Amino acid sequence: MTGALRVVARCQVADDVLAVTLADPHGDRLPPWTPGAHLDLLLPTGLVRQYSLCGDRWDGHHYRIAVLRVIDGRGGSAWIHDHLREGDVLPFGGPRNHFPMAPSTRYLFVAGGIGITPLLPMIDQAVRSERPWRLLYGGRRRTSMAFLDRLEALGGQVEVAAQDEVGVPDVAAWLGAPDPGATVYGCGPAGLLDATAAACAQWRPQALRTERFVAEVQDRAEDHPFTVVLRRSGTRLRIDPGTSVLDGLRDAGVAVLTSCRQGTCGTCEVAVLDGLPDHRDSVLDAVDREAGDSMMVCVSRARTDSLTLDL
Amino acid sequence: MTTLRSDAAAVPSIDLDPYAPEHLVDRTAFLTAVRETAPLVHLGAHDVFATGRFDVVREVLANWQQFQVGAGVGLANFHTEVPWRPPATPTEADPPAHDAPRRVLTDVLGARTLRRLRETWQAEADELVDRVLAGGGEVDAMADLASAFPLKVFPDAVGLPPDRRDDLLAYGDLVFNAFGPRNALFERSAARLGELSGWITSLCARENLDPAGFGAQIWAASDREDITAEQAPLVVRSLLSAGIDTTVHGIAWILHAFATHPEEWDRLRAAPELARRAFDEAVRWASPLQVVFHTTAEPVELAGVRLGKHRKIMLLLGAANHDPRRWEDPGRFTLDRDPSGHLGFGMGLHQCVGQHVARMEAEVLLTALARRVRRLEPAAPPRRGVNNTLQVWETLPLRLTK
């Protein structure tokens, strides 16, 4: 199996929140990541779901995610809660980071519910960088809020705002006057982020960085068999689940220069002339992924039955 | 139960000094001795550990958590010595400090940028090769091709003024000498240290960079607060330190390789799309960047040996790229080989962020040559240069025949 992760532990960390620890099936070191990064997990139901990495990047052999059971969702989180077991192996893409942490003198973190997940490694980073930080963590009730014990052990900078105790948090009051040395990171439901944006209206525009929960738009994706057509030779190759495009090319005697073989370095980029790639790399940004005219053949696959490559 | 032995006493010691003049001119004996003696050895001359095994070098490069670069990627240990210049960013920065500068550079040097530059660079390469051929085809390929081409296109792309391009090479020579000991080579470079460092620092200032170049884009990232205004000039500087000499010598080595392997040149002419693979094979074969140091962050086990905290390990990329445990017939330069996975650009978190830029520079120049030059042969014996860290040529006299 290429580009897959094995479930090594699962643990209930709050009402409806399951933490899952993942490792390489062969025990190899996983691709590195930075705080704010997420994984694409491909579930056996054909759904792709994105989860922020919330573990310790100093552990090079494990990823950790936390999954909220979404009642009216399309079933991705429910499947993970109900069916994912230790030992299961899931294909994945990434890690990628659309919510990177930038250097700052002080950090203010605003989390709502499961939005705490990308912020956890950022808080670790602030601690490690010896930067002052504060966290406003809102949720419905304390038992629904993951990682509270861990956060509260960090000291007095954490304000927990459980709705059943204190109502909706007053973000503006918590943020205070514009602070030219601080950066605000927010992740959570739209209402909280809108309130945060409004509260930051008088701050410098670069101060606020947020990640919104977006409804996953990518439809079915799974490791289905597909055909790779090589334009220059007309060769057709069948790529089965468990085999990478790169391996298929090599078996056919077509050499593509590679380096990391984890989708992180960008060496094996190949132009795509027809068909839709299923991007699993950490390199291409949203614009390039959308363009769909190139792919990293070491990890990426096809969303269509056939891909024509400029080889 | 195996008992881990610890530190210097636990591994074979090697008396050879890698920075002795004879080893700098030809490193083969030193690299072979280190690699074939043991997975990890101790170098008495400098009290550092060294490895030339592919799998051990790769493990150290992949394990950024325990083997760090913040204490310098040269011989000097910043835990105990003061660096001669502010440490390079992101080259000599560990996470968290590494993350933001690295991300900015990755974006600035990304695939879209290179696609935009390819046509211009190909035209520059075509023009350069036409000019060289018009001059009769007898060239010092070191000056006329390997230096001339990168020194034109890369600083242009960074947004530097057109003058003093040769001084960029002199600065790179200085930087890579400074990764070694304070020997005669360093002293020779150091004569111009103050002047060149001051000049490079001024080049990295915002007002001296063309607004369309990589340098200005790095400064723009500091406007967005993706990096700090203090980091911006250092990130620009990393392009000038790490992006010029390495590429120049990489191109020199591929030209030397083809001049001395005419059958491989014929293959490239028949199939110019092999240029990309050829360049990486040359980078594997010659390893223009020979040495990188990492430092243990904490007590750690490597190759069965317990190393103490803050110990320097010399990673011999040139030895690893010739490790017979990984490469078949490693001394042979051949387009038959798939050089994928070589360590000439490093590996892992700190892998060369400009590797795709270097590849494209080499690719367009080789393509221009392959389309026009039937024979590429030595015109006189080439002269090796010496540098504490790089594998370099002083002159490379070639005859190019249409």
Side-chain angles (χ1 to χ4, degrees):
Chain A
M1 176 78 75
T2 60
L5 295 168
R6 183 187 299 279
V7 177
V8 295
R10 38 169 290 154
C11 167
Q12 195 83 27
V13 291
D15 299 349
D16 295 327
V17 181
L18 185 71
V20 180
T21 306
L22 303 156
D24 179 82
H26 309 290
D28 290 342
R29 193 173 290 278
L30 295 169
W33 58 281
T34 49
H38 67 270
L39 284 182
D40 292 336
L41 275 190
L42 284 79
L43 307 180
T45 57
L47 293 169
V48 183
R49 284 293 174 268
Q50 299 188 335
Y51 296 104
S52 296
L53 290 168
C54 62
D56 176 10
R57 65 193 292 219
W58 262 260
D59 174 354
H61 289 88
H62 297 99
Y63 289 151
R64 196 172 199 223
I65 58 171
V67 180
L68 171 71
R69 180 194 288 271
V70 181
I71 305 303
D72 52 357
R74 289 176 49 199
S77 64
W79 185 89
I80 288 178
H81 275 257
D82 297 337
H83 300 289
L84 188 69
R85 294 289 169 257
E86 277 180 31
D88 286 355
V89 173
L90 298 175
F92 79 105
R96 289 180 292 132
N97 197 340
H98 303 317
F99 189 37
M101 191 177 180
S104 187
T105 311
R106 283 177 292 283
Y107 293 100
L108 299 171
F109 299 107
V110 178
I114 198 65
I116 189 66
T117 48
L119 301 182
L120 273 180
M122 293 191 188
I123 293 169
D124 285 343
Q125 191 112 311
V127 170
R128 194 178 274 271
S129 310
E130 299 178 336
R131 293 287 185 272
W133 61 275
R134 292 191 291 135
L135 166 69
L136 173 63
Y137 184 9
R140 285 193 299 276
R141 55 191 180 280
R142 279 182 176 263
T143 55
S144 72
M145 298 168 70
F147 309 114
L148 265 187
D149 46 348
R150 200 182 131 196
L151 288 163
E152 291 190 314
L154 290 171
Q157 310 100 318
V158 180
E159 177 149 335
V160 177
Q163 227 169 78
D164 63 347
E165 296 171 11
V166 297
V168 176
D170 184 346
V171 185
W174 182 82
L175 283 173
D179 177 348
T183 309
V184 182
Y185 284 82
C187 185
L192 179 72
L193 295 187
D194 290 344
T196 308
C200 286
Q202 302 305 316
W203 292 51
R204 62 196 197 289
Q206 304 87 341
L208 176 63
R209 290 150 191 257
T210 57
E211 179 161 75
R212 284 172 186 266
F213 295 153
V214 280
E216 183 62 59
V217 286
Q218 186 175 345
D219 277 334
R220 299 183 64 84
E222 57 199 316
D223 282 5
H224 62 80
F226 56 97
T227 303
V228 166
V229 181
L230 309 184
R231 190 205 53 171
R232 292 182 213 170
S233 60
T235 309
R236 301 172 71 86
L237 308 169
R238 183 186 154 95
I239 308 294
D240 284 318
T243 305
S244 67
V245 174
L246 178 68
D247 290 336
L249 291 169
R250 285 210 171 146
D251 291 346
V254 182
V256 174
L257 196 65
T258 68
S259 184
C260 74
R261 304 199 64 168
Q262 291 188 311
T264 59
C265 77
T267 302
C268 68
E269 183 174 11
V270 169
V272 177
L273 304 171
D274 195 29
L276 278 182
D278 176 2
H279 297 290
R280 308 273 178 94
D281 62 275
S282 313
V283 181
L284 295 178
D285 63 17
V287 176
D288 284 331
R289 291 162 77 86
E290 188 61 34
D293 55 1
S294 80
M295 69 186 286
M296 304 302 157
V297 292
C298 67
V299 292
S300 295
R301 309 185 66 84
R303 299 183 60 197
T304 41
D305 291 332
S306 162
L307 277 183
T308 304
L309 302 181
D310 188 13
L311 286 173
Chain B
M1 197 183 111
T2 29
T3 309
L4 280 174
R5 296 171 304 164
S6 68
D7 267 0
V11 296
S13 194
I14 290 205
D15 286 335
L16 304 176
D17 179 359
Y19 299 105
E22 65 273 22
H23 294 311
L24 292 178
V25 174
D26 183 353
R27 291 178 162 97
T28 315
F30 171 74
L31 298 181
T32 309
V34 170
R35 188 183 61 228
E36 300 310 322
T37 298
L40 192 67
V41 303
H42 183 254
L43 298 182
H46 299 282
D47 187 25
V48 293
F49 295 93
T51 178
R53 295 277 175 96
F54 181 87
D55 56 349
V56 181
V57 172
R58 206 177 189 288
E59 161 64 17
V60 172
L61 292 174
N63 185 350
W64 61 264
Q65 290 93 341
Q66 292 179 297
F67 299 100
Q68 298 185 327
V69 298
V73 292
L75 178 64
N77 188 337
F78 300 166
H79 291 300
T80 52
E81 296 167 63
V82 180
W84 69 274
R85 59 171 190 171
T89 303
T91 315
E92 293 181 315
D94 296 299
H98 170 265
D99 302 341
R102 171 78 189 201
R103 184 177 172 102
V104 166
L105 271 183
T106 303
D107 288 349
V108 169
L109 304 176
R112 250 197 316 278
T113 305
L114 295 189
R115 277 198 283 273
R116 180 172 58 76
L117 285 171
R118 179 178 284 271
E119 239 175 88
T120 318
W121 285 13
Q122 186 65 65
E124 294 273 8
D126 290 347
E127 203 184 302
L128 173 65
V129 174
D130 283 340
R131 206 161 55 230
V132 161
L133 287 171
E138 291 257 352
V139 298
D140 174 7
M142 187 61 222
D144 301 338
L145 293 169
S147 303
F149 185 64
L151 281 179
K152 170 75 176 109
V153 295
F154 186 71
D156 279 0
V158 173
L160 302 188
D163 60 325
R164 295 188 69 177
R165 292 283 163 100
D166 284 338
D167 278 347
L168 291 171
L169 271 187
Y171 179 70
D173 185 55
L174 185 160
V175 167
F176 286 101
N177 273 329
F179 286 133
R182 299 290 174 261
N183 58 5
L185 273 182
F186 175 78
E187 296 304 335
R188 189 188 69 189
S189 291
R192 297 190 64 194
L193 189 145
E195 172 224 339
L196 286 176
S197 295
W199 171 65
I200 287 286
T201 302
S202 75
L203 286 185
C204 298
R206 184 166 210 165
E207 59 273 21
N208 296 328
L209 291 160
D210 185 290
F214 298 157
Q217 290 172 44
I218 290 167
W219 276 101
S222 78
D223 294 338
R224 296 190 304 270
E225 298 187 10
D226 291 341
I227 51 173
T228 66
E230 292 73 35
Q231 286 172 326
L234 291 175
V235 176
V236 179
R237 196 190 71 182
S238 75
L239 294 176
L240 309 187
S241 305
I244 295 173
D245 287 54
T246 47
T247 313
V248 164
H249 293 295
I251 291 175
W253 276 103
I254 184 75
L255 295 176
H256 174 69
F258 278 129
T260 50
H261 296 74
E263 69 292 347
E264 302 300 300
W265 180 248
D266 291 340
R267 292 178 64 184
L268 181 75
R269 285 181 53 231
E273 68 274 12
L274 287 174
R276 195 172 152 80
R277 172 195 279 223
F279 180 62
D280 267 64
E281 167 64 353
V283 172
R284 179 203 67 83
W285 182 63
S287 304
L289 176 67
Q290 282 279 310
V291 181
V292 167
F293 287 83
H294 283 220
T295 310
T296 59
E298 58 198 9
V300 59
E301 185 195 332
L302 180 65
V305 180
R306 192 85 187 159
L307 300 179
K309 184 179 176 175
H310 296 172
R311 296 304 307 254
K312 282 240 144 176
I313 305 163
M314 185 183 206
L315 305 175
L316 298 168
L317 306 179
N321 282 338
H322 282 240
D323 186 345
R325 295 158 194 81
R326 168 63 178 79
W327 307 98
E328 203 182 315
D329 200 1
R332 182 157 169 248
F333 169 80
T334 169
L335 301 192
D336 284 331
R337 187 192 309 280
D338 179 0
S340 293
H342 71 76
L343 301 174
F345 291 117
M347 190 60 72
L349 196 72
H350 300 282
Q351 188 173 25
C352 175
V353 71
Q355 59 180 313
H356 308 311
V357 184
R359 285 195 181 105
M360 197 167 90
E361 290 178 58
E363 206 181 326
V364 295
L365 184 60
L366 287 175
T367 305
L369 286 163
R371 284 180 189 150
R372 292 167 175 77
V373 175
R374 190 163 45 84
R375 274 170 51 203
L376 185 70
E377 57 198 341
R383 200 165 66 238
R384 277 292 309 277
V386 282
N387 181 283
N388 281 334
T389 306
L390 301 176
Q391 189 95 308
V392 303
W393 289 103
E394 191 82 45
T395 64
L396 209 54
L398 295 186
R399 186 177 304 110
L400 278 50
T401 314
K402 276 200 262 193

